[in-house]
Amino acid sequence: VFHQRAWLRRPGLSVWVPLTPMKVALRLALVSLALLGPLASQAEPDAKAADPAAYIAAHARWRSELNAFDATDKAQMPPPGGVVFVGSSTIRFWSHLAQDFPHQSVVVNRGFGGSTMADCSLFAHDLVVRYKPRLVVIYAGDNDLAEGRTPLQVLDSFAQFANTVRAELPDTRIAYVSVKPSPSREKLLPQIRETNNVIGAYLRRLPDSDYIDVFTPMLGADARPRPELFRADQLHMNDQGYRLWQAVIASHLPDLAIARPEASVAKSLR
């Protein structure tokens, strides 16, 4: 647990001074990297094997969604080498995902609503590895925070997810989309910022990875979430929100030029 103050040491001086939220986040990131760095190579690469009881429980919870994915694959298995999007309802509700990235030959949507980063780590093999993508784009974490998990717990789940993917697909690039600032979860903004900071710091140490910042452009001039990007529930995004995401994410996809700057997208990014 971090205190909001720390010792400031100078020759002949030792003072207990306040830390700014950014400094607290930075200390959090540095300590998390120190802890996870040596653990990453020792971690069980398959979350299913690491915690079979948790996998069985999660599989029972998401049985219908997983069965639907299996049925889709049996009808037509996506070829390898594509881009897999995985994560919570923000990915699941992106119904025009493939159309938004037409330069990608294969785009696979494996979002399952209400899921957490912990769930994604458990199902990394089922929802990512089996497709052998050249890139996986993951969005998850805000549901974890809403359920009471800490930024470091979200980071730990993400590290497990990355370990599982890299163990079997060492050449696959991993892109993490930052936790978005939803108006209905504005009270969680401090935890959201910390989560984004620590995962961003972790990714700077992870080869062939990207941190995709959608958090910043989704804030208004008042540093609050922009309600015009969301549906009436102020949690899930509307078309304008998805156009913003498409514009931001497109530049991180391989062999894809920067997104077509439709007027509404360009306006939303100002």
Side-chain angles (χ1 to χ4, degrees):
V1 177
F2 282 91
H3 296 288
Q4 299 297 312
R5 299 186 295 170
W7 284 106
L8 173 64
R9 302 185 186 278
R10 293 290 186 272
L13 177 66
S14 185
V15 184
W16 191 244
V17 297
L19 283 174
T20 65
M22 183 58 70
K23 289 180 180 177
V24 171
L26 179 58
R27 286 166 63 87
L28 198 64
L30 292 174
V31 171
S32 66
L33 287 172
L35 292 172
L36 285 174
L39 291 176
S41 60
Q42 303 171 14
E44 175 60 54
D46 190 339
K48 186 192 314 186
D51 193 346
Y55 178 84
I56 291 171
H59 196 282
R61 178 184 180 189
W62 301 108
R63 186 183 308 278
S64 61
E65 287 82 359
L66 295 172
N67 287 345
F69 293 147
D70 286 340
T72 300
D73 291 344
K74 287 177 182 178
Q76 184 174 2
M77 185 69 177
V83 179
V84 171
F85 285 75
V86 64
S88 59
S89 57
T90 300
I91 300 299
R92 178 189 168 222
F93 289 147
W94 202 339
S95 57
H96 43 81
L97 182 61
Q99 292 85 346
D100 279 350
F101 301 105
H103 293 270
Q104 301 301 316
S105 58
V106 178
V107 176
V108 182
N109 186 328
R110 287 298 175 263
F112 51 122
S115 61
T116 62
M117 183 65 78
D119 292 321
C120 290
S121 70
L122 289 168
F123 296 131
H125 190 279
D126 305 71
L127 301 182
V128 177
V129 172
R130 70 186 298 179
Y131 301 112
K132 299 180 173 62
R134 71 180 184 278
L135 169 67
V136 54
V137 180
I138 179 168
Y139 176 79
D142 50 349
N143 288 330
D144 301 70
L145 297 175
E147 292 177 7
R149 296 184 183 88
T150 68
L152 283 182
Q153 287 175 316
V154 179
L155 172 61
D156 184 62
S157 293
F158 175 75
Q160 180 68 76
F161 173 87
N163 287 338
T164 304
V165 172
R166 283 289 163 80
E168 297 196 45
L169 303 173
D171 297 325
T172 293
R173 193 167 186 84
I174 298 172
Y176 174 79
V177 180
S178 64
V179 178
K180 69 183 188 298
S182 302
S184 66
R185 291 178 173 172
E186 190 169 3
K187 66 181 181 180
L188 292 174
L189 281 182
Q191 295 96 309
I192 291 172
R193 285 191 175 92
E194 288 184 10
T195 300
N196 290 337
N197 285 337
V198 296
I199 292 182
Y202 180 80
L203 287 170
R204 286 193 288 274
R205 295 274 301 273
L206 185 69
D208 295 322
S209 67
D210 277 316
Y211 173 82
I212 303 178
D213 178 20
V214 297
F215 179 88
T216 302
M218 295 185 76
L219 293 176
D222 58 358
R224 299 184 63 185
R226 296 170 54 189
E228 72 272 17
L229 301 176
F230 293 85
R231 299 181 182 182
D233 64 7
Q234 293 292 280
L235 176 63
H236 299 101
M237 295 191 300
N238 58 24
D239 285 343
Q240 185 178 353
Y242 280 112
R243 287 197 297 271
L244 186 152
W245 273 43
Q246 187 269 345
V248 173
I249 293 173
S251 62
H252 293 267
L253 299 190
D255 306 319
L256 178 62
I258 293 177
R260 305 175 303 281
E262 299 176 10
S264 56
V265 175
K267 180 179 178 182
S268 69
L269 285 172
R270 291 195 186 105

